[in-house]
Amino acid sequence: MKILVTGGAGFIGSSFVRYLLRTQPGIEIVNLDLLTYAGNLRNLETVSNDPRYQFVRGDIASSNDVRAVFEGNRIDAVVNFAAETHVDRSIEDASPFIRTNIDGTRCLLQQALQSGVSKFVQISTDEVYGSLGPVGAFTEDSPIDPSSPYSASKAGADLLAMAFHKTYGLPVVITRCSNNYGPCQFPEKLVPVLITNAMDDKPLPIYGDGLNVREWIFADEHSRAVWLALERGKAGEVYNVGSGHEKTNIEVVKEILRLLGKPDSLIKFVKDRPGHDRRYAIDCSKITREWNWSAEVDFARGLAETIEWYRTNQEWIREIKNSAYLSYYDRMYTRRDQTLAWSKQD
Ligand code: NAD
Ligand code: DAU
């Protein structure tokens, strides 16, 4: 079976590529990735010489790039991870989110339909459901109610993918997972910002009151669920993926500081994210029931493994924390609080 994985050089896509090559001897993978700021071929160094794997640099929103991949390969199925993924960047400028997440998905859907693939797995997110109050959890039947330009673009892609199923019979399956953490996550998301800043004794920015809740899942567990979605997911169905490990941001930051042996005084409360969703929680009983899937890695163990990865991959961090990253960081965080500017901390 030959599958097209898009966005395979990113955080979760690379976990999925490594996972498949490790566990599925008969698999062949074509990884189509544009290598935006978030894409990094270092994440795939361990598999780059595997004869079952090939990398193609290209844009999912370019019909020429997508067509070339399908013309050069007999693709059986598609797993679409490629996306612009950071909520704060989407608040600054929504346009790349609309282009990649919506039009890029359309482009892939059209080519997949033309080529007659056996499955199209659209990697979505629990953020499309919007925000929860203090109790309850999102089920697959919860209404779509996105808050940010990012989550609105992902919701748009989900609706389009389902429309391709209903209108043309394309065998689309959608997964909606909660917050991932683990090795190779770009240091713009909460966990790697906190780990890499704490390792450098820099302030740890926490938005608002720090009581927003996310459900944290180790990325490799998400990959295991995506493989099951590809193998066993029913066309036209949505599948939630979650861990049950709900934590406030304050609990997350304190656990990271404890594991690193750093003081709580590094925590710095900053201006809140506009439209900040208060709480996410996922009911994933459907995939437990249908596929016997459940998360196995507990949060403290997954976090310790993640910290160890960042500790032993300083070169990876140094390459990313270049001038483009530092200007992003200054732009994003100085706006929230002048004392967070890197230039003032160095
Ligand atoms: P990421 O930002 O780490 O990686 C995204 C990848 O997509 C990068 O390799 C980038 O180069 C590539 N890409 C971006 N635009 C592209 C384009 N136009 N054409 C081809 N490639 C392009 O993202 P991630 O955190 O690994 O997320 C992967 C997917 O999982 C996304 O669809 C995201 O919405 C979804 N998701 C993420 C989380 C999470 O917690 N990170 C949770 C649930 C769902
Ligand atoms: O729920 C799944 C989603 O999880 C994915 O679809 C997104 O791609 C992914 O980015 C993530 O979205 P979040 O907005 O939940 O993740 P982020 O890491 O940006 O923020 C997690 C929480 O931490 C959130 O409440 C905002 C807060 N935060 C974030 C950053 C970057 C801070 O307090 N300080 C920070 O510096």
Side-chain angles (χ1 to χ4, degrees):
M1 182 188 204
K2 192 178 244 188
I3 65 169
L4 172 63
V5 175
T6 70
F11 163 48
I12 308 168
S14 66
S15 154
F16 183 67
V17 169
R18 294 189 305 266
Y19 173 79
L20 280 199
L21 292 172
R22 201 166 59 235
T23 59
Q24 305 302 323
I27 208 84
E28 287 180 84
I29 300 174
V30 181
N31 171 18
L32 175 67
D33 195 299
L34 186 57
L35 297 183
T36 66
Y37 77 91
N40 189 344
L41 288 180
R42 265 185 173 264
N43 299 345
L44 295 162
E45 262 171 359
T46 55
V47 298
S48 58
N49 291 326
D50 191 314
R52 298 169 298 158
Y53 167 77
Q54 83 175 267
F55 174 70
V56 177
R57 186 169 191 180
D59 183 352
I60 63 163
S62 153
S63 42
N64 285 342
D65 288 1
V66 172
R67 194 181 318 112
V69 170
F70 277 82
E71 279 172 1
N73 297 277
R74 159 104 196 71
I75 300 291
D76 298 303
V78 178
V79 183
N80 181 26
F81 286 96
E84 288 291 335
T85 61
H86 192 40
V87 171
D88 295 323
R89 288 189 195 252
S90 81
I91 293 169
E92 199 177 42
D93 179 9
S95 58
F97 290 75
I98 305 306
R99 182 179 185 279
T100 290
N101 300 1
I102 300 184
D103 206 37
T105 301
R106 175 203 56 81
C107 196
L108 285 171
L109 288 164
Q110 271 177 348
Q111 186 62 53
L113 180 65
Q114 205 172 312
S115 305
V117 300
S118 63
K119 193 72 69 71
F120 187 107
V121 181
Q122 172 66 9
I123 306 300
S124 184
T125 165
D126 62 356
E127 292 206 20
V128 299
Y129 296 122
S131 188
L132 285 168
V135 292
F138 300 124
T139 71
E140 287 84 357
D141 296 324
S142 297
I144 300 291
D145 186 21
S147 306
S148 69
Y150 161 70
S151 50
S153 70
K154 292 295 289 186
D158 285 11
L159 296 175
L160 200 55
M162 262 329 158
F164 267 67
H165 170 66
K166 289 181 190 161
T167 309
Y168 310 112
L170 185 69
V172 168
V173 167
I174 295 179
T175 60
R176 293 188 180 138
C177 188
S178 61
N179 285 62
N180 287 224
Y181 68 99
C184 305
Q185 189 170 27
F186 191 88
E188 63 186 353
K189 311 281 169 34
L190 180 70
V191 167
V193 163
L194 299 182
I195 294 173
T196 59
N197 279 15
M199 288 193 314
D200 287 346
D201 297 307
K202 290 190 184 300
L204 309 187
I206 297 295
Y207 301 166
D209 62 9
L211 296 178
N212 300 67
V213 173
R214 297 292 184 265
E215 185 172 316
W216 293 98
I217 182 170
F218 197 60
D220 290 357
E221 307 243 70
H222 184 184
S223 294
R224 190 159 53 83
V226 171
W227 169 244
L228 290 170
L230 186 59
E231 254 199 324
R232 296 162 69 172
K234 293 190 198 105
E237 297 266 325
V238 174
Y239 296 93
N240 284 349
V241 184
S243 65
H245 305 312
E246 281 188 58
K247 304 277 171 207
T248 62
N249 295 337
I250 280 293
E251 287 172 317
V252 173
V253 68
K254 289 203 168 167
E255 184 64 6
I256 288 172
L257 288 168
R258 188 186 69 76
L259 287 165
L260 282 166
K262 301 281 183 174
D264 284 7
S265 56
L266 285 177
I267 298 172
K268 175 103 194 152
F269 288 96
V270 297
K271 193 161 165 280
D272 210 351
R273 171 187 280 173
H276 196 175
D277 286 335
R278 191 60 169 173
R279 176 171 166 262
Y280 304 144
I282 273 280
D283 177 340
C284 64
S285 52
K286 179 173 172 181
I287 63 170
T288 304
R289 206 170 48 245
E290 295 190 13
W291 306 338
N292 197 24
W293 180 97
S294 59
E296 288 160 7
V297 178
D298 76 40
F299 186 63
R301 191 185 116 209
L303 207 48
E305 217 173 284
T306 305
I307 289 174
E308 193 47 33
W309 187 87
Y310 282 95
R311 228 203 294 256
T312 52
N313 285 275
Q314 296 291 327
E315 184 68 19
W316 185 96
I317 301 172
R318 234 189 331 273
E319 275 179 17
I320 283 177
K321 291 203 171 184
N322 54 22
S323 57
Y325 176 84
L326 296 185
S327 89
Y328 159 80
Y329 192 94
D330 251 3
R331 213 167 67 237
M332 202 53 74
Y333 290 98
T334 310
R335 197 189 304 147
R336 287 194 155 91
D337 189 319
Q338 288 295 326
T339 64
L340 282 166
W342 280 86
S343 44
K344 297 209 176 101
Q345 297 300 324
D346 284 330

